[in-house]
Amino acid sequence: MAQPLAFVLNVPETPEDPEGSQEPSPYDESEVHDSFHQLILEQSRWAAEEGLELQRREPGTGALGDSGSDRQALLGPEDAPAHSTATLRILASMPSRTIGRSRGAIISQYYNRTVKLRRRASRPELKAASRSARPSLRLYDLELDPMVLEEEEKRTLLVKELQGLPVAQRDHMLRGMPLSLAEKRHLREDSRSPRGKPRTQQGGRGLLSCCGQLRDGCILALHNLGLALLSGLQALKPWHYALKRIGGQFGSSVLSYFLFLKTLLAFNTLLMLLLLAFIVGVQAAFPPTPLGSVPAFTGLELLTGGGRFTHTVMYYGYYSNATLNQPCVPTLDGSQCTPEAGSLPYNMPLAYLFTMGVAFFITCITLVYSMSRSFGESYRVGSTSGVHAITVFCSWDYKVTQKWASRLQHDNIRTQLKELLAEWQQRQGHRSMCVWLRQVAVLGLVWLLYLGTTLGCAVAVYTFSELVIERPVSAEREGALLALPVVVGLINLGAPYLYRCLAALERHDSPVLEVYVAICRNLILKMVVLGILCYHWLGRRVGALKDQCWENFVGQELYRLMAMDFIFTLLDTLFGELVWRLIAEKKLQRGKPEFDIAGNVLELIYGQTLTWLGVLFSPLLPAMQIIKLLLLFYVKKTSLMANCQAPRRPWKASHMSTVFISLLCFPSFLGAAIFLCYAVWQVKPSSICGPFRTLNTMYEAGKVWAGRLEQAGPGVSWLPWLHRSLVENTFPVYLVSALLLAVIYLNIQVVKGQRKVICLLKEQISNEGEDKIFLIDKIQCVYERKERSRIGRTEAAVRPPALLIDDADAC
């Protein structure tokens, strides 16, 4: 049996280029095509010399030895069916056996398109010209030579048609042709008018030609400027190269953390823009009169959030409860201006309440959209079969010309293949019943230890918060206010390490499951701690601070929690990961540790929850979160490159982004929204500070505004009706909820329908594959019948009729 022909292309390693050497240019594409053409010719010549491609059978041998067939056949590996030369020609022309469309077919198509554009009836079209077969490796030499003259004729006709088109239309068509850059350049040069030969005989056309050239030059300059601006905008994307480098070296699992951090940065930027435009900026333009002396800045405010910051737009108590007006300037005659002479009044309590509501509504819509989009990207309707071949053959970007970009893309593809193979190996594993029972027992013991630890942390936070209320801190001891945030920060710092030790006992087979379990445990701990703190602020602190501005205290408390969380995160990153790397490398001889995805992601969710909880009491808290996220990105990236290594068990984080957004939406955002709704509807505001100081609840600001509009006149009577119908009435809430459920149901049905259609298409593809096999067998049988008939006629001419064997119905 003949062995299949193997193509081995030895590419020598390229030495490092010296400094100042130029990178490869896409204009060298013609050399690549020439080298590939030489490779095909060389391999075809070797195949012809060795006789491995097409072998002529000797009479009396082969699969049909009885008939003595001398037809040509190709012997395939592993007893594959052998087909004749005619069958191989048909197979080579099939779409599945071809590389791409030939240059002649492309030129023919674009020639017909130019004819349609010019609408010339005198010149015959090339509709009758048959398209050339697409290049095949087996029949390359057989198909190339007969098409040279026809292709040159088509090319000449195309050049003549391009010469008759305007310059702009000609360039647009050349850019759209799927040809190489060298071929496009040759077509552009051939389609230009020869130098020294005027295109027209009239003398007035010279000026028009110069104007046309000037116009084309301006258009080309504007086009290049647009391309430069687009490339600049691409470069302005935050951390574009850094994210690609992280994904190539550490995989999609570690990359998901930094992508989630980038998403949180976008959410906080959107929230901050709304607050700056309608609350912070307006109040800063109309500062209230200070009630007392303003303390000097001491530097301790950066940790405690009090002192000088209390008398700024940082906190709720600074904002006025009056209507803001632009102060009018007295006239020249000395008369006083009336209030109506000023600009439109700005109701600060109403703006404060509605801006917070609109900001949270927009954030909710953005979160739901991001979650649905992430769900659509990660949980595809179709199956993942064949993704290995797609990654191998379709992942490389051929537009890359820089060496550093090609190395980065090479690392990224290699990491993706590792993740896919690890996921496939994990699916192949099976465990016995004894191993499964032992694993269940270990899991039960670990979860009992975890629940006990979480309960102890919750009791410690509650006890310490009650102790702080019983022993109030004086204004002189402002540093003592950091006690509760420090305790909470130590718990959030130490508990994940304890949970990591417990996870080492479980020994999960799947690293994805290990990360999900760690996220679940850390999330429960942080949500329990935040729930106790919310009860401490709204249930205990409001009653203990009756004669003080309790909103400022809650805002300062959340500021201190965020500051301590950031400080402990930096300490854990700079010292914890560094020390652990030194211990692992020097003492344990294990190499660098892996990046803790679960703990770092929960830190981000915890910090964002603090921001949403405190935005009502401290409108500038999103700005602090933005600064924190920017610093965290660079700190974590530096620590990742220096102290961590890629996961020892690669795994594909295809659903991690969806899980992170879901956790951010439901436990985090939903809990913060419930907390703020309770503060707006149920808790009485302070009577000495803030925009709602004269109201029983913050929600009454809308009712007061609606009552004033009713007294203003019939011209604005529709606004109070709109407020009562949409805000005070509960029917719109139920209507919106019903519409949302209907949309969700329809989307579910659409997904089910798409799955059914995909199943039907897969069955159709399978049936078409069987049809191809059936047709190939029939073609083979027809050819064998013709061969038998020809052989029979030949034998009948030289042998007696009695010795002829009738095998016409062998098929």
Side-chain angles (χ1 to χ4, degrees), residues 341-584:
S343 61
L344 185 67
Y346 195 85
N347 193 336
M348 179 53 68
L350 188 66
Y352 199 96
L353 180 63
F354 274 84
T355 302
M356 290 294 175
V358 170
F360 263 76
F361 180 75
I362 294 177
T363 304
C364 179
I365 295 299
T366 309
L367 272 174
V368 173
Y369 172 76
S370 301
M371 186 171 58
S372 61
R373 182 181 177 183
S374 179
F375 181 86
E377 291 178 354
S378 57
Y379 294 89
R380 296 294 184 184
V381 178
S383 63
T384 59
S385 59
V387 70
H388 301 81
I390 294 175
T391 305
V392 172
F393 296 106
C394 304
S395 295
W396 186 260
D397 186 4
Y398 289 93
K399 296 180 292 184
V400 173
T401 58
Q402 302 293 331
K403 281 191 174 181
W404 60 268
S406 61
R407 293 193 189 98
L408 188 62
Q409 191 172 5
H410 173 268
D411 294 339
N412 198 354
I413 296 175
R414 180 185 61 188
T415 307
Q416 290 180 13
L417 290 175
K418 288 182 179 180
E419 293 173 350
L420 291 172
L421 292 176
E423 186 177 0
W424 177 78
Q425 292 176 358
Q426 177 188 341
R427 295 175 182 174
Q428 305 300 320
H430 298 283
R431 293 183 300 179
S432 61
M433 181 61 66
C434 296
V435 176
W436 183 79
L437 291 176
R438 185 171 63 249
Q439 186 75 13
V440 170
V442 172
L443 287 176
L445 178 60
V446 169
W447 275 98
L448 286 177
L449 295 175
Y450 158 73
L451 293 177
T453 305
T454 304
L455 182 60
C457 294
V459 171
V461 173
Y462 177 78
T463 304
F464 199 84
S465 63
E466 291 294 329
L467 183 62
V468 170
I469 294 177
E470 293 176 359
R471 298 178 182 179
V473 180
S474 60
E476 292 78 10
R477 299 175 55 199
E478 191 175 358
L481 296 173
L482 296 173
L484 182 60
V486 168
V487 171
V488 175
L490 288 175
I491 290 176
N492 290 331
L493 179 64
Y497 284 99
L498 179 60
Y499 297 157
R500 198 183 304 178
C501 295
L502 294 177
L505 301 176
E506 296 174 332
R507 296 180 181 178
H508 291 287
D509 296 333
S510 171
V512 183
L513 179 60
E514 183 177 352
V515 172
Y516 286 161
V517 170
I519 289 176
C520 179
R521 290 170 179 171
N522 287 275
L523 181 66
I524 292 175
L525 172 65
K526 295 182 184 297
M527 292 300 109
V528 168
V529 171
L530 286 178
I532 294 174
L533 291 176
C534 290
Y535 169 75
H536 167 71
W537 294 324
L538 297 185
R540 301 285 293 167
R541 278 295 180 180
V542 174
L545 301 174
K546 291 182 180 180
D547 299 332
Q548 301 179 23
C549 189
W550 64 267
E551 292 90 349
N552 279 1
F553 178 82
V554 175
Q556 294 172 7
E557 196 78 4
L558 286 163
Y559 178 89
R560 288 189 286 268
L561 285 172
M562 183 177 293
M564 289 297 104
D565 177 67
F566 179 64
I567 291 174
F568 280 113
T569 302
L570 290 181
L571 293 176
D572 181 39
T573 303
L574 298 178
F575 295 101
E577 294 181 357
L578 177 61
V579 172
W580 182 247
R581 178 179 71 87
L582 294 177
I583 293 175

Side-chain angles (χ1 to χ4, degrees), residues 289-295 311:
T289 303
L291 299 178
S293 60
V294 178
H311 301 273

Side-chain angles (χ1 to χ4, degrees), residues 140-158:
Y140 187 85
D141 292 332
L142 298 178
E143 294 180 357
L144 181 61
D145 295 335
M147 300 303 299
V148 172
L149 296 178
E150 183 180 358
E151 183 176 333
E152 290 296 330
E153 182 181 359
K154 295 176 184 177
R155 188 180 185 279
T156 304
L157 294 176
L158 177 61

Side-chain angles (χ1 to χ4, degrees), residues 299-358:
L300 190 60
E301 293 89 345
L302 296 177
L303 294 178
T304 62
R308 184 68 177 84
F309 288 166
T310 308
H311 301 273
T312 61
V313 292
M314 183 75 183
Y315 295 110
Y316 163 92
Y318 181 81
Y319 293 86
S320 173
N321 65 333
T323 300
L324 305 179
N325 290 281
Q326 180 70 29
C328 55
V329 180
T331 58
L332 296 177
D333 55 0
S335 60
Q336 298 291 332
C337 61
T338 59
E340 288 78 6
S343 61
L344 185 67
Y346 195 85
N347 193 336
M348 179 53 68
L350 188 66
Y352 199 96
L353 180 63
F354 274 84
T355 302
M356 290 294 175
V358 170

Side-chain angles (χ1 to χ4, degrees), residues 705-706 709-727:
W705 172 72
L709 289 178
E710 289 179 353
Q711 299 175 1
V716 291
S717 60
W718 59 276
L719 289 175
W721 174 84
L722 190 65
H723 179 269
R724 288 192 301 268
S725 301
L726 297 181
V727 179

Side-chain angles (χ1 to χ4, degrees), residues 147-309:
M147 300 303 299
V148 172
L149 296 178
E150 183 180 358
E151 183 176 333
E152 290 296 330
E153 182 181 359
K154 295 176 184 177
R155 188 180 185 279
T156 304
L157 294 176
L158 177 61
V159 169
K160 292 181 180 180
E161 295 296 335
L162 288 175
Q163 289 177 352
L165 295 177
V167 179
Q169 193 173 10
R170 181 198 311 163
D171 294 340
H172 178 73
M173 178 166 290
L174 286 174
R175 284 196 299 267
M177 289 184 181
L179 297 173
S180 63
L181 294 176
E183 184 67 25
K184 290 181 182 179
R185 192 183 305 110
H186 292 324
L187 286 175
R188 181 182 289 110
E189 293 176 356
D190 294 342
S191 60
R192 292 176 180 174
S193 298
R195 295 183 178 179
K197 180 180 179 181
R199 297 183 60 179
T200 58
Q201 301 297 330
Q202 300 178 2
R205 295 296 182 88
L207 181 61
L208 295 179
S209 178
C210 294
C211 294
Q213 292 180 2
L214 180 61
R215 182 195 60 186
D216 296 339
C218 294
I219 293 175
L220 184 61
L222 292 176
H223 179 70
N224 294 333
L225 179 61
L227 292 179
L229 291 177
L230 288 178
S231 61
L233 290 177
Q234 184 74 14
L236 287 178
K237 283 186 177 181
W239 313 315
H240 180 69
Y241 172 70
L243 292 176
K244 295 185 68 174
R245 183 182 178 187
I246 292 172
Q249 294 186 7
F250 297 93
S252 59
S253 57
V254 178
L255 179 63
S256 61
Y257 165 78
F258 291 92
L259 292 177
F260 184 61
L261 189 148
K262 184 179 177 182
T263 304
L264 291 183
L265 184 63
F267 285 149
N268 286 277
T269 304
L270 177 62
L271 182 61
M272 193 63 226
L273 290 177
L274 292 173
L275 297 179
L276 282 176
F278 298 101
I279 298 180
V280 179
V282 177
Q283 188 63 64
F286 302 96
T289 303
L291 299 178
S293 60
V294 178
F297 182 78
T298 60
L300 190 60
E301 293 89 345
L302 296 177
L303 294 178
T304 62
R308 184 68 177 84
F309 288 166

